[in-house]
Structure formats: structure tokens, C-alpha cells
């Protein structure tokens, strides 16, 4: 077993339609606003950016993410990762009743020197750290979706378009 390789899978059930969830997830530069453990996202160009993460452990991970797939029709977002984590991450969204089932999958190898040195004894802590990060992300995304739904004008809110 390679102690520096991780495979994560999380399922989030969200009370918003898949297209609304996709729209929020597609705006990676906004993640720090609603996902507490995503400390910074800096776009480099239309398909690449850097991100800095920190969960419970007092250690930042910095990655460069490059869009591999942005498919609004299939509701799939996938990025390749380099830097402290090397591999990929993917969101796959499907309708579930009136809401969304958001599947997050990630396969990475830890490249950060300190985390590699602590790979064996730290593995359970690293997995717990990831779980806490995902819990914070799910809560933040649900709140962001609620806020966006409140901001959206409805057909009967009295607003009129151009005549």
C-alpha cells in the first residue's frame, strides 16, 4: 500500500436543483466565501488557478487546479491537481427529487514533504481532517444555495422586464 495515496468519495444531498448547484460549484474563485477550509483561490487563466486549503491541522496545502472537464449538460466538473496534492477531483451532480445529489470523488498522491514524512502515523488524522473539510464545505454550499435562491427574482415578484 502506498501510504501517500488517497481516494475520497463524498455524497452531499442538497435542497436545490442540479443546475443551481452546478453554477455555484463552477465558480471556483468564490469557494473561499462559502467553504471555510478553502482559504484562497487565485485564477491564473480561464482554465487554471491555485488554491490554498487548511482544515483542522495547522498546515496549508497549495495546489494548482486545471479544468479537465466542464460539462453543464452532464453536470460534471473535473480538475487535474498539482502541487502539494497530485491527481484529480470531480463533482458529478444528479437530480434527486426536488434537490441534488452531489458526488465528490478525488484521487490524489500527497506531494508535500512534511505530510509524506508523516504518512504512516498521520494517515488516520489526514483522513479525519479531510472529512471535517468536506462537512464544512457541505454546510457552506447549502447556505450559499439558500442565499442565492433568496436573491433570485421570481416571476411574480413585481419586477418587469423591458417592454
Amino acid at each position: 500500500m502506498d501510504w501517500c495515496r488517497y481516494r475520497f468519495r463524498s455524497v452531499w444531498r442538497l435542497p436545490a436543483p442540479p443546475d443551481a448547484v452546478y453554477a455555484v460549484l463552477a465558480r471556483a474563485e468564490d469557494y473561499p466565501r462559502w467553504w471555510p477550509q478553502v482559504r484562497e483561490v487565485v485564477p491564473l487563466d480561464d482554465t487554471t488557478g491555485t488554491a490554498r486549503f487548511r482544515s483542522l491541522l495547522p498546515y496549508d496545502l497549495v495546489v494548482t487546479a486545471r479544468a479537465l472537464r466542464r460539462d453543464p449538460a452532464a453536470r460534471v466538473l473535473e480538475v487535474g491537481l498539482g502541487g502539494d496534492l497530485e491527481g484529480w477531483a470531480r463533482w458529478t451532480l444528479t437530480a434527486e427529487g426536488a434537490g441534488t445529489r452531489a458526488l465528490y470523488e478525488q484521487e490524489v498522491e500527497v506531494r508535500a514533504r512534511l505530510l509524506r514524512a508523516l504518512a504512516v502515523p498521520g494517515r488516520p488524522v489526514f483522513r479525519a481532517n479531510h472529512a471535517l473539510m468536506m462537512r464544512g464545505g457541505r454546510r457552506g454550499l447549502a447556505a450559499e444555495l439558500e442565499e442565492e435562491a433568496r436573491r433570485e427574482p421570481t416571476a411574480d415578484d413585481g419586477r418587469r422586464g423591458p417592454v
Side-chain angles (χ1 to χ4, degrees):
M1 173 177 189
D2 184 344
W3 293 95
C4 294
R5 290 189 182 275
Y6 290 85
R7 180 180 291 171
F8 297 108
R9 186 177 189 278
S10 298
V11 175
W12 297 356
R13 289 187 165 71
L14 300 158
D19 290 338
V21 176
Y22 182 93
V24 172
L25 290 174
R27 294 189 310 264
E29 64 277 5
D30 291 344
Y31 281 32
R33 190 175 74 229
W34 56 264
W35 196 331
Q37 295 81 9
V38 179
R39 303 301 174 96
E40 179 181 47
V41 173
V42 178
L44 299 175
D45 59 35
D46 289 344
T47 61
T48 309
T50 60
R52 185 171 54 87
F53 310 100
R54 179 184 237 172
S55 189
L56 187 62
L57 297 176
Y59 190 87
D60 288 357
L61 292 174
V62 178
V63 300
T64 298
R66 182 177 48 85
L68 299 176
R69 184 174 179 198
R70 294 180 68 112
D71 188 339
R75 299 183 188 116
V76 175
L77 292 162
E78 185 172 347
V79 295
L81 302 171
D84 289 340
L85 300 175
E86 195 169 295
W88 59 269
R90 176 176 50 235
W91 287 105
T92 305
L93 310 174
T94 54
E96 187 172 81
T100 300
R101 178 183 185 269
L103 170 63
Y104 178 80
E105 298 170 284
Q106 182 182 42
E107 288 189 20
V108 293
E109 179 178 349
V110 175
R111 304 300 301 160
R113 181 173 285 166
L114 176 62
L115 299 183
R116 288 182 73 80
L118 297 171
V120 174
R123 190 169 180 87
V125 175
F126 300 158
R127 291 188 74 77
N129 193 63
H130 178 81
L132 287 171
M133 180 175 173
M134 296 306 289
R135 190 172 304 141
R138 194 236 164 264
R139 282 191 201 121
L141 180 55
E144 179 71 9
L145 291 163
E146 252 182 59
E147 181 63 30
E148 286 215 354
R150 269 189 246 129
R151 287 193 302 253
E152 258 182 39
T154 59
D156 60 354
D157 71 355
R159 296 182 195 186
R160 300 187 82 167
V163 179

